Coordinates of all heavy atoms in Angstrom, one line a residue:
W427 N 6.5 24.6 -5.5 CA 7.0 23.2 -5.6 C 7.7 22.7 -4.3 O 7.6 21.6 -3.9 CB 8.0 23.0 -6.8 CG 7.3 22.9 -8.1 CD1 7.6 23.7 -9.2 CD2 6.4 21.9 -8.6 NE1 6.8 23.3 -10.3 CE2 6.0 22.2 -9.9 CE3 5.7 20.9 -7.9 CZ2 5.1 21.4 -10.6 CZ3 4.8 20.1 -8.6 CH2 4.5 20.4 -9.9
T428 N 8.4 23.7 -3.7 CA 9.0 23.3 -2.4 C 8.0 23.0 -1.3 O 8.2 22.0 -0.6 CB 9.9 24.5 -1.9 OG1 10.9 24.8 -3.0 CG2 10.7 24.1 -0.7
L429 N 6.9 23.7 -1.3 CA 5.9 23.4 -0.3 C 5.2 22.1 -0.6 O 4.8 21.4 0.3 CB 4.8 24.6 -0.4 CG 5.3 25.9 0.2 CD1 4.3 27.0 -0.1 CD2 5.6 25.8 1.7
Y430 N 5.1 21.8 -1.9 CA 4.5 20.5 -2.3 C 5.4 19.4 -1.9 O 4.9 18.4 -1.4 CB 4.3 20.5 -3.8 CG 3.9 19.2 -4.4 CD1 2.6 18.6 -4.1 CD2 4.7 18.4 -5.2 CE1 2.2 17.4 -4.6 CE2 4.4 17.2 -5.7 CZ 3.1 16.7 -5.4 OH 2.8 15.4 -5.9
I431 N 6.7 19.5 -2.1 CA 7.6 18.5 -1.7 C 7.6 18.4 -0.1 O 7.8 17.3 0.4 CB 9.0 18.8 -2.2 CG1 9.1 18.6 -3.7 CG2 10.1 17.9 -1.5 CD1 8.8 17.2 -4.2
L432 N 7.4 19.5 0.6 CA 7.3 19.4 2.0 C 6.2 18.5 2.5 O 6.3 17.7 3.4 CB 7.1 20.8 2.6 CG 6.8 20.9 4.1 CD1 8.0 20.3 4.9 CD2 6.5 22.3 4.5
E433 N 5.0 18.6 1.8 CA 3.9 17.7 2.1 C 4.3 16.3 1.9 O 4.0 15.4 2.7 CB 2.7 18.1 1.2 CG 2.2 19.5 1.4 CD 1.1 19.7 0.4 OE1 0.5 18.8 -0.2 OE2 0.8 20.9 0.1
I434 N 5.0 16.0 0.8 CA 5.4 14.6 0.5 C 6.4 14.1 1.5 O 6.4 13.0 2.0 CB 6.0 14.5 -0.9 CG1 4.9 14.8 -2.0 CG2 6.6 13.2 -1.2 CD1 5.4 14.9 -3.4
N435 N 7.3 15.0 1.9 CA 8.4 14.6 2.9 C 7.8 14.3 4.3 O 8.3 13.4 5.0 CB 9.4 15.7 3.0 CG 10.3 15.8 1.8 OD1 10.4 14.9 1.0 ND2 11.1 16.9 1.7
V436 N 6.7 14.9 4.7 CA 6.1 14.6 6.0 C 5.5 13.2 5.9 O 5.6 12.4 6.8 CB 5.1 15.6 6.3 CG1 4.3 15.2 7.6 CG2 5.7 17.0 6.6
R437 N 4.9 12.8 4.7 CA 4.4 11.5 4.5 C 5.6 10.5 4.5 O 5.4 9.4 5.1 CB 3.6 11.4 3.2 CG 2.4 12.2 3.2 CD 1.6 11.9 1.9 NE 0.4 12.7 1.8 CZ 0.3 13.9 1.2 NH1 1.4 14.4 0.6 NH2 -0.8 14.5 1.1
I438 N 6.7 10.8 3.9 CA 7.8 10.0 3.9 C 8.3 9.8 5.3 O 8.8 8.7 5.6 CB 8.9 10.5 2.9 CG1 8.5 10.5 1.5 CG2 10.2 9.7 3.1 CD1 9.4 11.2 0.5
A439 N 8.3 10.8 6.1 CA 8.8 10.7 7.5 C 8.0 9.6 8.2 O 8.5 8.9 9.1 CB 8.7 12.0 8.2
V440 N 6.7 9.5 8.0 CA 5.9 8.5 8.6 C 6.3 7.1 8.1 O 6.5 6.2 8.9 CB 4.4 8.7 8.2 CG1 3.5 7.6 8.8 CG2 3.9 10.0 8.8
T441 N 6.6 7.0 6.8 CA 7.0 5.7 6.2 C 8.3 5.2 6.8 O 8.5 4.1 7.2 CB 7.1 5.9 4.7 OG1 5.8 6.3 4.2 CG2 7.4 4.5 4.1
V442 N 9.3 6.1 6.8 CA 10.6 5.7 7.3 C 10.6 5.4 8.8 O 11.4 4.7 9.3 CB 11.7 6.7 7.0 CG1 11.9 6.9 5.5 CG2 11.4 8.1 7.6
G443 N 9.6 6.0 9.5 CA 9.5 5.7 10.9 C 9.2 4.2 11.2 O 9.5 3.7 12.2
V444 N 8.5 3.6 10.2 CA 8.1 2.2 10.3 C 9.3 1.3 10.5 O 9.3 0.3 11.2 CB 7.3 1.8 9.1 CG1 7.0 0.3 9.2 CG2 6.0 2.6 9.1
V445 N 10.5 1.7 9.9 CA 11.7 0.8 10.0 C 12.5 1.1 11.3 O 13.6 0.7 11.5 CB 12.6 1.0 8.8 CG1 11.9 0.5 7.5 CG2 13.1 2.4 8.7
G446 N 11.9 2.0 12.2 CA 12.6 2.3 13.4 C 13.2 3.6 13.5 O 14.0 3.9 14.5
A447 N 12.9 4.5 12.6 CA 13.5 5.9 12.6 C 12.8 6.8 13.6 O 13.3 8.0 13.7 CB 13.4 6.4 11.2
G448 N 11.8 6.4 14.2 CA 11.1 7.3 15.2 C 9.9 8.0 14.7 O 9.5 7.8 13.6
G449 N 9.2 8.7 15.6 CA 8.0 9.4 15.3 C 6.8 8.5 15.2 O 6.8 7.4 15.8
L450 N 5.7 8.9 14.6 CA 4.4 8.2 14.5 C 4.6 6.9 13.8 O 3.9 5.9 14.1 CB 3.4 9.1 13.9 CG 3.0 10.3 14.7 CD1 2.0 11.2 13.9 CD2 2.4 10.0 16.0
G451 N 5.4 6.8 12.8 CA 5.6 5.6 12.1 C 6.1 4.5 13.0 O 5.7 3.3 12.9
L452 N 7.0 4.8 13.9 CA 7.6 3.8 14.8 C 6.5 3.3 15.7 O 6.4 2.1 16.1 CB 8.7 4.4 15.6 CG 9.4 3.4 16.6 CD1 9.9 2.2 16.0 CD2 10.5 4.2 17.4
V453 N 5.6 4.2 16.2 CA 4.5 3.8 17.1 C 3.6 2.9 16.4 O 3.1 1.9 17.0 CB 3.8 5.1 17.6 CG1 2.6 4.7 18.5 CG2 4.7 6.0 18.3
V454 N 3.3 3.2 15.1 CA 2.4 2.3 14.3 C 3.0 0.9 14.2 O 2.3 -0.1 14.5 CB 2.1 2.9 12.9 CG1 1.5 1.8 12.0 CG2 1.3 4.1 13.0
E455 N 4.3 0.8 13.9 CA 4.9 -0.5 13.8 C 5.0 -1.2 15.1 O 4.7 -2.5 15.1 CB 6.3 -0.3 13.2 CG 7.2 -1.6 13.1 CD 6.5 -2.6 12.2 OE1 5.7 -2.3 11.4 OE2 6.9 -3.8 12.4
S456 N 5.2 -0.6 16.2 CA 5.3 -1.2 17.5 C 4.0 -1.8 17.9 O 3.9 -2.9 18.4 CB 5.9 -0.3 18.5 OG 5.0 0.8 18.7
Q457 N 2.9 -1.0 17.7 CA 1.6 -1.5 18.0 C 1.1 -2.6 17.1 O 0.4 -3.5 17.5 CB 0.6 -0.3 18.0 CG 0.9 0.8 19.0 CD 0.9 0.3 20.4 OE1 0.1 -0.5 20.9 NE2 2.0 0.7 21.2
R458 N 1.5 -2.5 15.9 CA 1.2 -3.7 14.9 C 1.9 -4.9 15.4 O 1.3 -6.0 15.4 CB 1.6 -3.3 13.5 CG 1.2 -4.3 12.5 CD 2.1 -4.3 11.3 NE 3.5 -4.6 11.6 CZ 3.9 -5.9 11.8 NH1 3.1 -6.9 11.6 NH2 5.2 -6.1 12.1
G459 N 3.1 -4.8 15.8 CA 3.8 -6.0 16.3 C 3.2 -6.6 17.5 O 3.2 -7.8 17.7
L460 N 2.6 -5.7 18.4 CA 1.9 -6.2 19.6 C 0.4 -6.7 19.2 O -0.3 -7.1 20.2 CB 1.8 -5.1 20.6 CG 3.2 -4.7 21.2 CD1 3.1 -3.5 22.1 CD2 3.9 -5.9 21.9
L461 N 0.0 -6.5 18.0 CA -1.4 -6.8 17.5 C -2.4 -6.0 18.3 O -3.5 -6.5 18.5 CB -1.7 -8.3 17.7 CG -0.8 -9.3 16.9 CD1 -1.2 -10.7 17.1 CD2 -0.8 -8.9 15.4
N462 N -2.0 -4.8 18.7 CA -2.9 -3.9 19.4 C -3.5 -3.0 18.4 O -3.0 -1.8 18.2 CB -2.2 -3.2 20.5 CG -3.1 -2.6 21.6 OD1 -4.2 -2.2 21.3 ND2 -2.6 -2.5 22.8
F463 N -4.5 -3.4 17.7 CA -5.1 -2.6 16.6 C -5.8 -1.4 17.0 O -5.9 -0.4 16.3 CB -6.0 -3.5 15.8 CG -5.3 -4.7 15.2 CD1 -5.6 -6.0 15.5 CD2 -4.2 -4.6 14.3 CE1 -5.0 -7.1 15.0 CE2 -3.5 -5.6 13.8 CZ -3.9 -6.9 14.1
T464 N -6.3 -1.4 18.2 CA -7.0 -0.2 18.7 C -6.0 1.0 18.9 O -6.2 2.1 18.4 CB -7.7 -0.4 20.1 OG1 -8.6 -1.5 19.9 CG2 -8.4 0.8 20.6
N465 N -4.9 0.7 19.5 CA -3.8 1.7 19.6 C -3.2 2.1 18.3 O -2.9 3.3 18.0 CB -2.7 1.3 20.6 CG -3.2 1.1 22.0 OD1 -4.3 1.6 22.3 ND2 -2.5 0.3 22.8
M466 N -3.1 1.1 17.4 CA -2.6 1.4 16.0 C -3.6 2.3 15.3 O -3.1 3.3 14.6 CB -2.5 0.1 15.3 CG -2.0 0.2 13.9 SD -1.8 -1.4 13.1 CE -1.4 -1.0 11.4
M467 N -4.9 2.2 15.5 CA -5.8 3.0 14.8 C -5.8 4.4 15.4 O -5.9 5.4 14.7 CB -7.2 2.5 14.9 CG -8.3 3.1 14.0 SD -7.9 2.8 12.3 CE -8.8 4.1 11.5
A468 N -5.5 4.5 16.7 CA -5.4 5.9 17.3 C -4.2 6.6 16.7 O -4.3 7.8 16.5 CB -5.3 5.7 18.8

Side-chain angles (χ1 to χ4, degrees):
W427 281 124
T428 303
L429 292 172
Y430 172 70
I431 291 297
L432 171 63
E433 298 176 20
I434 295 177
N435 285 346
V436 174
R437 294 186 181 93
I438 293 176
V440 175
T441 304
V442 297
V444 174
V445 299
L450 293 175
L452 178 59
V453 178
V454 169
E455 175 59 21
S456 62
Q457 296 305 313
R458 185 205 63 81
L460 296 172
L461 300 181
N462 199 329
F463 299 119
T464 300
N465 294 344
M466 183 179 172
M467 194 66 200

